[in-house]
Amino acid sequence: MKKVINNGNKLKGDILEKYPTKVARKRSKSFVVNDPDNPPEIQANVRTVPGILTQRGCCYAGCKGVVLGPTRDIINLTHGPIGCGFYSWLTRRNQTRTGPEDDNYMTYCFSTDMQDENIVFGGEKKLRQAIQEAYDLFHPKAIAIFSTCPVGLIGDDVHAISREMKEKLGINVFGFSCEGYKGVSQSAGHHIANNQIFKHVVGQNNEEVEGKFKINLLGEYNIGGDSFVIENLLERCGITLVSTYSGNSTIDQFEQSHMADLNCIMCHRSINYVADMMETKFGIPWIKVNFIGADATAKSLRKIAQYFDDKKLMAKVEKVIEEEMVAVEQTIKEVKPRLEGKKVMLFVGGSRAHHYQYLFSEVGMVTVAAGYEFAHRDDYEGRKVLPYIKVDADSRNIEELTVEPDPERYRPRKTEEELKQLEKKGFTLRDYEGMIPEMESGSLVIDDISQYETEVLIEKYKPAVFCAGIKEKYIIQKMGVPLKQLHSYDYGGPFAGFIGAINFFKDIDRMVNTRVWALVKAPWSEEGVEDNCLIDADYVSEVA
Amino acid sequence: MLLRHTSEKIQERKALTINPAKTCQPIGAMYAALGIHGCMPHSHGSQGCCSYHRSTLTRHYKEPVMSGTSSFTEGASVFGGQANLVQAIDNLFTIYDPQVIAVHTTCLSETIGDDIPQIVSKAKDSGKVPEGKHVIHCNTPSYVGSHVTGYANMVKAMVTYFAQNSGDKNETINLICGWVEPSDMREIKRLSQMLNTQIILFPDTSNVLDAPQTGKLQFYPKGGTTVDQLTKAGDSKYSIGLGKFSTEDAAKEMDSRCGVPFSVLDVPIGLSATDRFIMEMAKVTGNKIPDEITDERGRLVDMITDMQQYLYGKRVALWGDPDTIIPLTEFLVDLEMKPVYIVSGTPGKYFEKRITEIAGDRVEGLKVKGGSCADMFLMHQWIKNEPVDLLIGNTYGKYIARDEDIPLLRMGFPIMDRVGHSCFPRVGYNGSMRILEGILGCLMDRLDRDAPEESFELVM
């Protein structure tokens, strides 16, 4: 059955009407109706309109919270007033497994707790002392320093202090200029984080890593134990995981990650530059993978096996897929009759809104509207638009590293000929097609959605489930529509791999079909509650 | 061991805070602002602050928390945030139609020195503030005070912007409420009604942050103190501030602007603090304390009598906000428990002084610390040196509870892993009964768990 979603343009018009003229003009470019035959251009990674009620966070959140947060043996020290450190003290959602003697600082929150005198006279002295105190107490392998808004304004030089303390203490100390105001979203923070990890950590240890098929997994943060599932699958297939950026990771793994033979990218937005830099500097090719969804996982495992071009590996991969699919198919058979044809909206992250569409489609659910919180145009339209993306003032302020082949360690993993052969067989390297090409005709793609737009979408489309984050959760649920958090997974999961797909299908089945929605209306109440799956014919239709 | 690196050896720290017992000002301002009816809080700074504050309040209250942000990028940080705030005010009124926009600053806009009243008057001059609508503000640099200070500043702003003395005084009592749960605010209103007292309670987050599920989103729920009430508060006879840290400034402001005399009491948590609240209300109104209230008190005392054997001498560690911890410490002392370790990241000498007064000679080995580096890491180190029987504090205590195998009663902010705290009051005699129920539940579950089979009791 082909799904065609009608009247997106009418809805768009209805929404924009409410805005002041200038705002409407700006939002209009970030709000497109999909046409796969003639893919639209979307405006993304531009400043949020003040006062619009955005989902977005800041650069610091992307740097400290997303990228560095999940590495367990680094002391992550926030240099700033207490709030930023406190709010990013979220501890266990990025799960990690440690031996009893291993370092694990993920449950701690370290801050310089700057006071007004530090703002007036500078906070460098306090930072230096805080690093010393952290070292004296814990003797960690590494200390990372994160700058918050006021640090950038008063000009504390976190990089100079890091260098100084690195020399003094004899451990790796490095800083991040990830002040909250940099860039327009978390995305700037990912970039700053990755650049510094690349400069200060990657390649510090040239020891060989055992194993025949060695990969890194980039952009996988082990929310709810996702990495554990993927690690297990890879191990059963005989694939060696050198490093994950950065779920369940350690600084030692980053140091050796340049010894891998293939980089596999999960969240394109948070880390694509690291893959490019590692290829240029060390000769490691990269591919896009997706371990969200059973079918997507099978495809990704096959793709890795195809890259290494080894018959035994391919056989092993097929065996693992076959074993795992039994339970997946059984679950799909059970839940599909209750979920098929229902509508989904996803407004999350910078790849998640794309990845989760696979999962929903496996049980026949249709994504009628989706968008990203902090994506760039290539995440929507594919990397082919990279040369056409305009660099504006907010992006220009984020450092771009110039990387060259390492004179000693550059080693192409495949010859040009081998790569050509692979591509001839339909194998795509160094590419990501983005979200739009895979969405239904007429579906809505909205970047940096506002609270108002969200409300209208829900009123008009009545989705069966809405996927977003904690700030949206209770707003949507008050409208009688269940919200699945895809940043924290609502403290469920894992959702990666085959077992993850099963967990997800069961969760969605429970949420969509739970009895509570039928209990919302008091029996004596005159006012009716509309069925939350009802489709407004004006807006959505399906044709065979 | 989740906090495996926390050692017994205590080293003095001057610069490094580890596992803070506070957070920053703006979140308190945002929470207080939600206690005004039809109010949209607005965070003037980069959008991460707003996002973090909304997330944390949402995780705690499990309710929608709306707030705008000025979404500073580098440009605004250099050239000032005027254009951003003016545009935000225009957008918020046009799209979301609030009665009041309550602006608070962040460390970013404070450091660059944005003058909010000047920007707001600019917005007014250019017609961005509709007739009959209001924009209020307070300054909440994150490098001063704590979330409690931010709450206090926004409560004070409510007085500064709205309270008016029309010259026609009435019998109403202003109850200026410290940072407590919506359920607590509802309980304070109930007690006032029993005391036959006409009150204006502000801020009031009941029916805002515990709104019913109806299948329809109420963008501005029915609760919250109205602008009209806040205006009329200037004509009230008297103000009672509940919680020195969070309400004293507002009470003073009300007095100096509108000539409303005031007293500042503890938040009525526990027996003695509730006694003082009830007596003060009776004193300022001249009303008699009704038997129903005396009965409620009696039921609490009865419960203490019944369960005293399980409480006596039990050592407790607690952390959180001074306005909550002070009366809670007093309650624990009344119960003959031993609140031995007490930390609050909120600075203020009054806190340590008051705790020492309350607990000092009745609690041997009392350790109390407030302000910078008064953190949960330090408290955990104290516990490692000499353990306690019970922990009382926010969700972040669960790591210590697990590592040290000590029961935890969740109280304070934020509580992100349980429900009930925002629905059932912990103020007044009834609320104190609930605290007691919680304490006993924790201690007895522990007794049951640890008892050898031969001494496992059915009746306790």
Side-chain angles (χ1 to χ4, degrees):
Chain A
M1 187 164 61
K2 186 171 160 55
K3 284 124 195 163
V4 175
I5 299 147
N6 298 327
N7 261 343
N9 279 315
K10 178 178 184 301
L11 182 89
K12 179 177 169 178
D14 289 353
I15 287 179
L16 296 179
E17 216 168 71
K18 177 100 174 176
Y19 290 138
T21 322
K22 261 169 79 181
V23 178
R25 205 178 306 135
K26 184 170 180 191
R27 286 302 300 154
S28 138
K29 295 181 201 153
S30 295
F31 195 130
V32 302
V33 181
N34 191 23
D35 175 4
D37 301 329
N38 192 11
E41 179 181 326
I42 191 165
Q43 172 180 268
N45 192 41
V46 295
R47 294 178 187 180
T48 300
V49 179
I52 202 138
L53 270 65
T54 174
Q55 292 184 329
R56 280 178 173 171
C58 68
C59 179
Y60 166 86
C63 182
K64 196 272 180 182
V66 176
V67 178
L68 268 298
T71 302
R72 65 172 170 261
D73 53 359
I74 296 179
I75 283 199
N76 286 323
L77 171 59
T78 300
H79 183 39
I82 199 68
C84 307
F86 182 88
Y87 302 116
S88 58
W89 183 21
L90 284 173
T91 67
R92 301 295 296 180
R93 254 306 85 180
N94 301 113
Q95 296 180 4
T96 193
R97 265 182 200 144
T98 53
E101 302 301 318
D102 295 339
D103 287 351
N104 180 15
Y105 297 104
M106 280 168 60
T107 44
Y108 289 84
C109 163
F110 301 94
S111 169
T112 53
D113 188 9
M114 287 173 91
Q115 299 297 306
D116 44 1
E117 67 266 22
N118 308 129
I119 303 296
V120 177
F121 301 111
E124 293 189 349
K125 203 173 143 204
K126 192 168 194 184
L127 174 61
R128 208 174 279 124
Q129 179 158 2
I131 296 171
Q132 185 68 51
E133 287 175 0
Y135 179 77
D136 293 343
L137 272 165
F138 304 104
H139 297 97
K141 287 179 189 158
I143 300 178
I145 316 297
F146 301 87
S147 307
T148 59
C149 292
V151 168
L153 295 177
I154 64 173
D156 279 359
D157 190 343
V158 298
H159 305 290
I161 290 174
S162 296
R163 280 195 299 274
E164 178 194 323
M165 294 308 282
K166 181 178 179 173
E167 197 159 315
K168 184 176 176 196
L169 304 174
I171 59 164
N172 202 351
V173 183
F174 43 96
F176 297 86
S177 291
C178 55
E179 295 85 353
Y181 55 76
K182 288 246 174 100
V184 300
S185 71
Q186 293 95 312
S187 167
H190 306 145
H191 204 149
I192 290 164
N194 289 319
N195 282 350
Q196 294 298 86
I197 289 284
F198 195 77
K199 277 199 315 210
H200 295 279
V201 187
V202 174
Q204 297 290 315
N205 180 351
N206 291 323
E207 225 174 289
E208 268 305 327
V209 178
E210 293 276 312
K212 201 168 169 196
F213 313 111
K214 290 176 288 193
I215 69 162
N216 293 317
L217 195 56
L218 309 186
E220 161 49 50
Y221 300 101
N222 203 22
I223 308 292
D226 279 353
S227 294
F228 299 150
V229 172
I230 302 168
E231 284 168 21
N232 175 274
L233 286 172
L234 294 174
E235 198 185 316
R236 281 161 60 198
C237 294
I239 298 162
T240 305
L241 185 59
V242 181
S243 172
T244 302
Y245 283 69
S246 43
N248 195 28
S249 61
T250 63
I251 190 162
D252 297 341
Q253 290 165 0
F254 291 159
E255 287 176 350
Q256 260 180 308
S257 57
H258 64 301
M259 306 306 286
D261 294 320
L262 175 68
N263 277 328
C264 301
I265 295 198
M266 271 285 278
C267 177
H268 175 260
R269 176 37 46 206
S270 61
I271 206 157
N272 66 76
Y273 7 80
V274 170
D276 275 340
M277 291 191 290
M278 281 174 78
E279 174 147 30
T280 310
K281 188 166 177 181
F282 301 107
I284 309 170
W286 68 267
I287 56 171
K288 174 81 178 74
V289 294
N290 175 18
F291 288 102
I292 300 297
D295 193 39
T297 302
K299 271 188 194 151
S300 296
L301 288 174
R302 285 185 181 122
K303 198 169 175 185
I304 295 169
Q306 202 187 346
Y307 169 83
F308 285 109
D309 195 21
D310 180 283
K311 287 222 165 63
K312 266 190 190 159
L313 175 63
M314 286 176 179
K316 252 184 174 174
V317 162
E318 289 307 328
K319 190 164 167 283
V320 168
I321 294 170
E322 198 187 322
E323 281 166 15
E324 293 280 334
M325 281 310 287
V326 178
V328 175
E329 277 159 10
Q330 204 177 330
T331 310
I332 291 178
K333 205 171 137 196
E334 190 195 318
V335 300
K336 201 170 177 177
R338 294 192 290 268
L339 296 175
E340 193 163 24
K342 293 199 168 167
K343 311 288 172 278
V344 181
M345 292 183 180
L346 297 125
F347 290 91
V348 267
S351 280
R352 283 183 190 263
H354 181 197
H355 291 164
Y356 277 87
Q357 294 188 27
Y358 291 96
L359 254 171
F360 282 113
S361 69
E362 284 173 27
V363 285
M365 294 178 80
V366 191
T367 303
V368 291
Y372 292 135
E373 202 175 306
F374 49 75
H376 300 203
R377 269 185 67 199
D378 47 319
D379 301 297
Y380 289 104
E381 300 173 59
R383 290 177 69 90
K384 63 179 183 297
V385 301
L386 278 175
Y388 310 104
I389 296 179
K390 281 187 225 115
V391 181
D392 59 17
D394 295 311
S395 306
R396 208 167 286 128
N397 291 329
I398 315 298
E399 183 190 22
E400 282 289 342
L401 298 187
T402 314
V403 179
E404 283 173 1
D406 188 287
E408 277 144 37
R409 296 178 294 179
Y410 180 81
R411 176 171 61 83
R413 298 331 199 243
K414 297 253 178 199
T415 62
E416 279 302 315
E417 185 54 28
E418 283 170 326
L419 291 175
K420 262 187 207 147
Q421 282 301 319
L422 271 173
E423 280 175 330
K424 222 182 251 174
K425 286 184 213 159
F427 191 90
T428 43
L429 280 153
R430 311 175 190 107
D431 197 27
Y432 174 43
E433 281 196 352
M435 181 170 85
I436 288 180
E438 294 183 46
M439 288 183 69
E440 304 290 350
S441 177
S443 57
L444 298 171
V445 188
I446 308 170
D447 186 64
D448 186 21
I449 194 170
S450 75
Q451 163 62 29
Y452 174 69
E453 291 158 15
T454 307
E455 255 182 86
V456 180
L457 280 188
I458 290 193
E459 270 168 30
K460 300 295 184 190
Y461 279 77
K462 310 283 182 309
V465 64
F466 192 96
C467 299
I470 183 66
K471 297 191 293 289
E472 294 77 50
K473 183 170 177 85
Y474 301 100
I475 299 172
I476 306 299
Q477 292 198 164
K478 279 282 197 283
M479 300 174 90
V481 173
L483 185 138
K484 182 71 194 167
Q485 291 187 68
L486 287 186
H487 301 286
S488 73
Y489 293 0
D490 283 302
Y491 308 92
F495 293 148
F498 303 98
I499 182 72
I502 293 172
N503 291 340
F504 191 77
F505 297 149
K506 288 184 173 170
D507 250 18
I508 294 300
D509 181 36
R510 169 187 57 77
M511 294 180 82
V512 171
N513 297 305
T514 184
R515 196 173 142 65
V516 73
W517 305 116
L519 301 175
V520 168
K521 186 190 155 196
W524 56 87
S525 167
E526 309 249 320
E527 211 173 308
V529 173
E530 291 166 79
D531 182 342
N532 71 47
C533 288
L534 218 112
I535 301 159
D536 187 330
D538 263 4
Y539 291 100
V540 185
S541 67
E542 293 181 23
V543 292
Chain B
M1 296 291 276
L2 289 157
L3 299 171
R4 61 181 61 181
H5 302 287
T6 306
S7 61
E8 283 171 34
K9 191 168 165 256
I10 297 171
Q11 283 165 269
E12 203 205 345
R13 282 176 283 131
K14 287 199 177 110
L16 181 67
T17 290
I18 313 170
N19 304 345
K22 68 165 174 189
T23 180
C24 66
Q25 283 211 62
I27 196 172
M30 192 184 281
Y31 177 56
L34 290 166
I36 302 174
H37 179 70
C39 180
M40 174 71 78
H42 182 82
S43 166
H44 185 55
S46 57
Q47 64 210 2
C49 309
C50 182
S51 178
Y52 274 141
H53 301 147
R54 289 180 70 195
S55 296
T56 306
L57 289 171
T58 305
R59 287 191 175 107
H60 178 88
Y61 295 102
K62 315 251 180 275
E63 283 293 319
V65 174
M66 309 288 189
S67 173
T69 162
S70 293
S71 292
F72 277 37
T73 57
E74 211 146 29
S77 309
V78 176
F79 301 112
Q82 173 165 298
N84 293 52
L85 184 52
V86 171
Q87 194 186 12
I89 288 172
D90 186 20
N91 281 325
L92 289 173
F93 280 127
T94 309
I95 306 164
Y96 300 102
D97 194 30
Q99 286 302 308
V100 182
I101 296 174
V103 181
H104 59 260
T105 55
T106 63
C107 40
L108 174 52
S109 54
E110 281 291 326
T111 309
I112 64 173
D114 271 355
D115 179 351
I116 307 297
Q118 178 269 319
I119 300 174
V120 171
S121 74
K122 171 102 184 163
K124 276 185 185 153
D125 293 346
S126 53
K128 308 290 189 205
V129 182
E131 197 63 36
K133 307 269 177 163
H134 310 270
V135 183
I136 67 171
H137 99 286
C138 68
N139 295 90
T140 48
S142 314
Y143 39 79
V144 174
S146 75
H147 57 294
V148 179
T149 325
Y151 180 94
N153 286 338
M154 185 53 83
V155 178
K156 185 183 168 193
M158 293 175 197
V159 178
T160 315
Y161 276 91
F162 294 121
Q164 280 175 25
N165 181 358
S166 72
D168 193 8
K169 290 278 166 195
N170 58 45
E171 289 300 303
T172 305
I173 306 297
N174 298 326
L175 286 182
I176 310 174
C177 198
W179 187 328
V180 289
E181 302 280 347
S183 51
D184 294 319
M185 298 194 182
R186 185 175 285 115
E187 178 69 2
I188 288 166
K189 287 192 283 190
R190 188 188 69 93
L191 286 170
S192 305
Q193 206 169 15
M194 287 171 80
L195 285 158
N196 213 7
T197 307
Q198 179 72 37
I199 61 157
I200 293 174
L201 178 80
F202 69 91
D204 179 4
T205 58
S206 63
N207 288 323
V208 178
L209 286 164
D210 56 359
Q213 170 63 273
T214 59
K216 294 232 174 343
L217 174 70
Q218 292 282 337
F219 204 88
Y220 301 105
K222 65 183 173 189
T225 318
T226 62
V227 170
D228 188 44
Q229 286 175 307
L230 289 169
T231 310
K232 283 184 179 146
D235 287 334
S236 292
K237 174 185 177 179
Y238 197 79
S239 299
I240 299 178
L242 298 174
K244 185 180 168 73
F245 283 81
S246 40
T247 69
E248 189 174 41
D249 288 351
K252 278 185 179 162
E253 178 79 1
M254 184 72 88
D255 189 14
S256 67
R257 279 186 168 264
C258 304
V260 183
F262 69 96
S263 50
V264 176
L265 306 180
D266 290 322
V267 176
I269 289 172
L271 185 69
S272 303
T274 306
D275 284 350
R276 289 195 296 273
F277 170 66
I278 299 292
M279 286 190 294
E280 182 75 359
M281 288 283 274
K283 193 178 116 196
V284 298
T285 57
N287 293 349
K288 191 174 169 297
I289 296 167
D291 290 348
E292 290 94 325
I293 287 190
T294 313
D295 290 348
E296 280 188 13
R297 184 182 193 279
R299 275 193 287 276
L300 169 63
V301 178
D302 189 54
M303 197 190 228
I304 299 171
T305 320
D306 297 344
M307 288 293 157
Q308 218 276 337
Q309 72 177 97
Y310 295 101
L311 306 170
Y312 183 83
K314 289 285 186 292
R315 292 161 54 83
V316 189
L318 49 152
W319 66 97
D321 303 346
D323 285 343
T324 314
I325 291 188
I326 289 168
L328 183 61
T329 301
E330 191 181 21
F331 188 38
L332 296 174
V333 171
D334 281 342
L335 296 170
E336 290 185 275
M337 299 180 81
K338 304 285 179 205
V340 279
Y341 307 141
I342 305 172
V343 297
S344 175
T346 296
K349 289 208 171 82
Y350 175 79
F351 170 69
E352 290 177 52
K353 186 172 151 269
R354 187 71 205 285
I355 293 282
T356 312
E357 267 168 26
I358 293 168
D361 58 346
R362 298 174 72 173
V363 179
E364 207 180 309
L366 172 74
K367 287 183 198 292
V368 52
K369 196 166 180 213
S372 247
C373 299
D375 48 34
M376 292 173 66
F377 182 77
L378 175 67
M379 187 186 69
H380 191 180
Q381 290 189 308
W382 289 338
I383 292 168
K384 280 203 175 279
N385 282 286
E386 198 179 343
V388 293
D389 302 296
L390 180 67
L391 304 169
I392 305 181
N394 65 18
T395 287
Y396 285 101
K398 72 192 287 182
Y399 294 105
I400 302 174
R402 183 179 155 114
D403 277 6
E404 306 299 332
D405 193 18
I406 300 168
L408 163 67
L409 176 66
R410 284 167 178 79
M411 223 178 130
F413 178 84
I415 294 169
M416 304 183 285
D417 60 338
R418 294 291 188 275
V419 293
H421 51 86
S422 55
C423 306
F424 306 106
R426 275 183 165 146
V427 299
Y429 301 116
N430 282 351
S432 304
M433 283 173 76
R434 186 157 171 269
I435 297 174
L436 191 51
E437 180 203 9
I439 291 174
L440 280 162
C442 284
L443 294 175
M444 290 178 143
D445 283 349
R446 178 63 188 264
L447 259 178
D448 278 342
R449 194 199 74 184
D450 292 348
E453 279 191 19
E454 67 271 20
S455 53
F456 185 74
E457 302 287 355
L458 179 73
V459 182
M460 293 172 97

